[in-house]
Amino acid sequence: MSGRARVFIPADSAALSVGAERVARAIRGEAEARGVDIEIVRTGSRGLLWLEPMVEVETADGRVGYGPIAPGDVASLFAAGFLDGGAHGRSLGRIEVHPLIARQTRLTFARVGVIDPLSLDDYRAHGGFAGLDKALAMPPAAIVEAVLQSGLRGRGGAGFPTGIKWRAVLGAEAPQKYVVCNADEGDSGTFADRMVMEGDPFMLIEGMIIAGLASGATKGFIYIRSEYPHAFATFEKAIATARAGGYLGASVRGSGRAFDIEARLGAGAYVCGEETSLLESLEGKRGVVRAKPPIPAFQGLFGKPTIVNNVLSLAAVPFILAEGPAAYARFGVGRSLGTLPVQLAGNVKRGGLYELPFGVTLREVIFDIGGGTRSGRPARAVQVGGPLGAYFPERLFDTPLDYEAFAALKGLLGHGGIVVFDDTVDLAAQARFAFEFCAKESCGKCTPCRIGAVRGRETMDRIIAGENRAENRAVLDDLLVLMTDASLCAMGGLTPVPVTSALTHFPEDFERAPLAAAAE
Amino acid sequence: MKRATGWDDQVASAIVGELKGRDGALLPILHALQEEFGYVDQRVVAELATALNLSRAEVTGTISFYHDFRANPAGRHVIKICRAEACQSVGCEDLVAHLKRRHGLDVDALSADGLLTIETVYCLGNCALGPAILADGEPVGRVDADTLDSLVARAGSERALTDGEVLS
């Protein structure tokens, strides 16, 4: 080892949740006790979450990893010479060639887990702000055209072409326009937005600035859910650092063009992930969904033209500008272009975030990457796309991950979350939960959602209890059509998706003898 | 962790005055009040309505719309337990049952001794390492019954629940 060793330890929430802070403390303490001079760099997470806390050191051959590490392993790490990449029972070898890193296409997550998320120098040294530099030299319409050509579609779930929204806002005449980043990542099984905000916040800031340049918006808001306190704190620091560095403010990089960002905290309402509800919430009101039209591109925040994009959509923009739209569109299949940060979660052995080209199958993700269930029992169902996504049985595991393939099976890809369940899952209980969740989280504006969710839960209870099953099933089927067709937004409109998929693919779970009767 | 103190009208007024000029100021103010006091007292509604040129109904409706804002003081410690699908798949409901059976603790309620508030949340974004909780604002993953037992045992402590050498 020559000079001062650099040790990388994640400060990502998931890593912290399994002891990364205690490991960092133990490494610092052991280094002091041994009189070894080290530099500890806190990073985001590589996304191999089952290996957290994962520690990396910089060696002549590149970065070498060790994990999962407990505080009790630290003395033996030093004894094994880990600062020079020495062999240890927890060695993972060179991280760049780890099989589950090497098979990924990390465009959006290229820097996450690698750099110090709050260092502008680190960000620039790894290609950061190259997209902004190009955008600053382009007319707004050309920026919009690049995003259009890349084929980028909104990553919040709906898959709407990002460039079309931008073009609409660019064309709208108004004294004030806004860029709003939707970081209300409420879907269970998803954490990609959080990992970006904690692991590479300047990329998102860069994407928001480019959106401002493209549309003529001078003010950006990011709405971060309150369940993400660490992401919020990191992002606020990143905004302050970017401002001090001249990237935000009255004249972005001395261009004479203004753009600034303010971070706002959500308050525990799932429906605020819906864009119009989010805008209401940003305005300081109840998060009640607005009727569309007018669309936010024409009348958004405070009634002004507004780009509302998901974190991952905006985070993809710097790459598109830096490398060109064709470089982005080279990945993916059909109309699903680019990469999909797959978030593998729930009852799975190797859960984490894997950025893959569209088109990989569920089976590859669950078994080749995920290693099957954590419990070791057979995987019986997966729910893809959050609480409003479909439950798929094992026989559909060969479905490729792209928007159209999922739509054809009456499911949705949503934000790319995949939750694995083993064979102890009761799909009738999951279907009931879908209604219960909708009843709790409905904004209350439209009747099909507000009342339908409650009636759905009641009817499901009767079916589960074995009361007049055929008649109640008829009521339920009618209700599912009504909620789908007549709800104002996706909350009520898509709650039937998990319910219908459970009924279609797992009918046996709704035909069981009621518990009370079975016990007799 | 910041220790919430009793409600103080003067401090509340100062918070309202400081933040009322922001765009869409109501949510930032409500967050700041809850950060200071652990809840949002009904007494502040009239002042908020005047400061922001809203009706009292609009203010009350906003407070009650969001799950985050409490109408009553919280315990000294707060555990938020995720009960969404990913955590369901690894047994979060067994943990809820354990809290009741072993400790007599209900979720979405303040403990009888007033020390511990346990709240439901839907997703903490730690879905690969569930069951997940936030203990006094700090994430804890792969939570099991033993983790909860040690947290409950520390509820009498002045220090934050995760401060020290317990957990996973």
Side-chain angles (χ1 to χ4, degrees):
Chain A
M1 184 180 66
S2 58
R4 193 179 189 205
R6 297 183 85 202
V7 180
F8 301 85
I9 307 170
D12 172 276
S13 290
L16 294 176
S17 84
V18 287
E21 194 60 42
R22 293 194 295 284
V23 169
R25 234 181 283 156
I27 287 178
R28 193 174 289 117
E30 186 72 20
E32 277 168 21
R34 289 171 179 257
V36 184
D37 188 23
I38 62 169
E39 178 190 359
I40 293 180
V41 180
R42 302 306 295 268
T43 63
S45 168
R46 297 267 192 177
L48 309 180
L49 295 177
W50 87 99
L51 290 174
E52 295 290 358
M54 190 170 100
V55 173
E56 293 177 47
V57 292
E58 204 165 61
T59 74
D61 293 334
R63 276 162 65 164
V64 173
Y66 300 84
I69 298 300
D73 298 324
V74 167
S76 67
L77 275 178
F78 276 88
F82 87 117
L83 294 176
D84 296 304
H88 182 274
R90 300 285 188 191
S91 290
L92 301 168
R94 278 184 56 212
I95 285 300
E96 301 295 340
V97 298
H98 187 283
L100 290 185
I101 292 285
R103 73 176 290 166
Q104 297 184 47
T105 306
R106 288 175 81 101
L107 307 181
T108 300
F109 284 80
R111 284 176 294 261
V112 176
V114 177
I115 62 167
D116 173 351
L118 292 172
S119 163
L120 285 170
D121 289 340
D122 259 18
Y123 183 65
R124 275 189 297 255
H126 287 78
F129 293 122
L132 176 63
D133 288 343
K134 290 209 175 152
L136 280 168
M138 291 161 74
I143 304 174
V144 170
E145 190 56 32
V147 173
L148 269 172
Q149 278 179 14
S150 73
L152 176 65
R153 293 169 69 176
R155 295 306 173 75
F160 188 82
T162 302
I164 293 183
K165 281 190 189 178
W166 288 25
R167 192 169 58 191
V169 176
L170 171 62
E173 294 285 335
Q176 176 72 57
K177 302 178 189 178
Y178 295 103
V179 173
V180 170
C181 176
N182 182 346
D184 194 30
E185 181 176 51
D187 289 353
S188 175
T190 64
F191 40 86
D193 296 355
R194 180 184 62 68
M195 288 184 62
V196 166
M197 291 186 280
E198 294 180 358
D200 196 5
F202 294 132
M203 170 174 58
L204 183 51
I205 288 173
E206 184 181 353
M208 289 180 73
I209 300 170
I210 294 170
L213 296 174
S215 62
T218 53
K219 177 80 190 269
F221 285 93
I222 178 167
Y223 185 91
I224 302 175
R225 58 202 302 264
S226 62
E227 293 84 347
Y228 286 0
H230 285 272
F232 186 79
T234 301
F235 208 81
E236 287 229 294
K237 283 183 205 155
I239 291 172
T241 304
R243 198 178 288 131
Y247 290 93
L248 293 173
S251 176
V252 172
R253 297 303 278 164
S255 65
R257 296 157 81 179
F259 192 77
D260 211 336
I261 301 176
E262 190 177 328
R264 286 290 174 90
L265 204 52
Y270 175 78
V271 76
C272 288
E274 196 281 334
E275 62 177 2
T276 62
S277 161
L278 185 151
L279 294 173
E280 290 287 304
S281 187
L282 268 180
E283 292 182 10
K285 303 173 191 163
R286 300 161 69 210
V288 174
V289 172
R290 296 178 186 170
K292 290 190 270 194
I295 58 171
F298 298 128
Q299 282 181 46
L301 187 62
F302 301 112
K304 301 293 190 294
T306 305
I307 289 177
V308 186
N309 279 150
N310 176 258
V311 170
L312 296 183
S313 316
L314 289 162
V317 166
F319 178 91
I320 291 166
L321 268 290
E323 307 291 330
Y328 188 78
R330 206 169 64 229
F331 300 97
V333 288
R335 290 176 51 223
S336 298
L337 299 179
T339 55
L340 179 70
V342 170
Q343 298 131 83
L344 186 56
N347 194 334
V348 65
K349 212 170 276 169
R350 297 194 289 260
L353 182 136
Y354 307 99
E355 186 172 355
L356 304 166
F358 284 98
V360 59
T361 67
L362 272 176
R363 190 178 304 280
E364 291 170 78
V365 173
I366 299 163
F367 295 103
D368 296 356
I369 293 176
T373 63
R374 197 199 293 174
S375 64
R377 303 180 65 95
R380 181 162 181 246
V382 293
Q383 187 180 27
V384 183
L388 305 176
Y391 287 96
F392 280 0
E394 201 272 339
R395 67 176 178 280
L396 294 180
F397 284 2
D398 292 311
T399 307
L401 294 175
D402 76 67
Y403 294 115
E404 278 69 30
F406 269 70
L409 291 168
K410 296 189 162 51
L412 49 108
L413 210 45
H415 194 50
I418 299 175
V419 176
V420 182
F421 292 81
D422 71 12
D423 62 352
T424 60
V425 68
D426 174 357
L427 271 298
Q430 297 308 122
R432 184 196 183 278
F433 175 76
F435 281 125
E436 184 186 356
F437 183 70
C438 184
K440 278 192 180 175
E441 299 298 329
S442 173
C443 82
K445 176 149 178 167
C446 76
T447 313
C449 177
R450 185 183 69 245
I451 307 291
V454 178
R455 291 289 171 264
R457 186 185 58 202
E458 292 167 356
T459 310
M460 193 60 80
D461 278 338
R462 292 191 194 107
I463 291 172
I464 291 169
E467 283 176 39
N468 305 321
R469 276 191 169 148
E471 292 83 347
N472 276 309
R473 180 59 196 271
V475 169
L476 184 68
D477 288 344
D478 185 60
L479 182 66
L480 290 169
V481 172
L482 178 91
M483 288 180 73
T484 304
D485 291 348
S487 296
L488 198 52
C489 83
M491 177 90 238
L494 295 180
T495 288
V497 172
V499 176
T500 304
S501 63
L503 287 162
T504 305
H505 302 306
F506 304 90
E508 63 275 19
D509 286 18
F510 298 85
E511 290 158 6
R512 283 201 208 109
L515 275 183
E520 280 169 12
Chain B
M1 185 189 67
K2 184 172 168 129
R3 271 298 308 279
T5 50
W7 188 267
D8 181 322
D9 286 331
Q10 282 190 332
V11 174
S13 291
I15 290 172
V16 174
E18 185 193 327
L19 296 175
K20 70 179 180 186
R22 295 177 72 178
D23 293 331
L26 184 51
L27 256 66
I29 292 174
L30 293 174
H31 272 302
L33 290 170
Q34 180 146 314
E35 171 79 11
E36 182 70 29
F37 304 114
Y39 75 114
V40 179
D41 198 292
Q42 172 72 24
R43 278 144 67 186
V44 80
V45 168
E47 182 172 352
L48 279 172
T50 306
L52 300 174
N53 196 24
L54 298 168
S55 71
R56 291 185 192 194
E58 285 168 313
V59 175
T60 303
T62 303
I63 295 170
S64 67
F65 181 88
Y66 294 99
H67 299 305
D68 276 7
F69 302 126
R70 303 186 192 99
N72 296 296
R76 180 188 293 171
H77 300 288
V78 177
I79 294 177
K80 298 190 179 207
I81 180 164
C82 175
R83 299 174 74 183
E85 289 89 341
C87 285
Q88 291 169 11
S89 78
V90 286
C92 68
E93 290 306 312
D94 295 340
L95 296 177
V96 171
H98 174 83
L99 284 169
K100 179 71 180 170
R101 200 173 51 236
R102 173 76 65 85
H103 302 287
L105 290 168
D106 289 310
V107 174
D108 298 315
L110 177 61
S111 61
D113 58 15
L115 292 173
L116 182 61
T117 294
I118 303 176
E119 293 175 334
T120 297
V121 288
Y122 292 110
C123 199
L124 296 166
N126 195 13
C127 319
L129 300 176
I133 63 170
L134 276 184
D136 287 339
E138 286 302 315
V140 185
R142 292 198 194 110
V143 171
D144 58 18
D146 292 343
T147 322
L148 291 180
D149 292 346
S150 55
L151 289 172
V152 171
R154 292 167 64 92
S157 164
E158 292 277 334
R159 297 162 75 198
L161 288 175
T162 56
D163 183 24
E165 297 303 317
V166 284
L167 315 173
S168 57

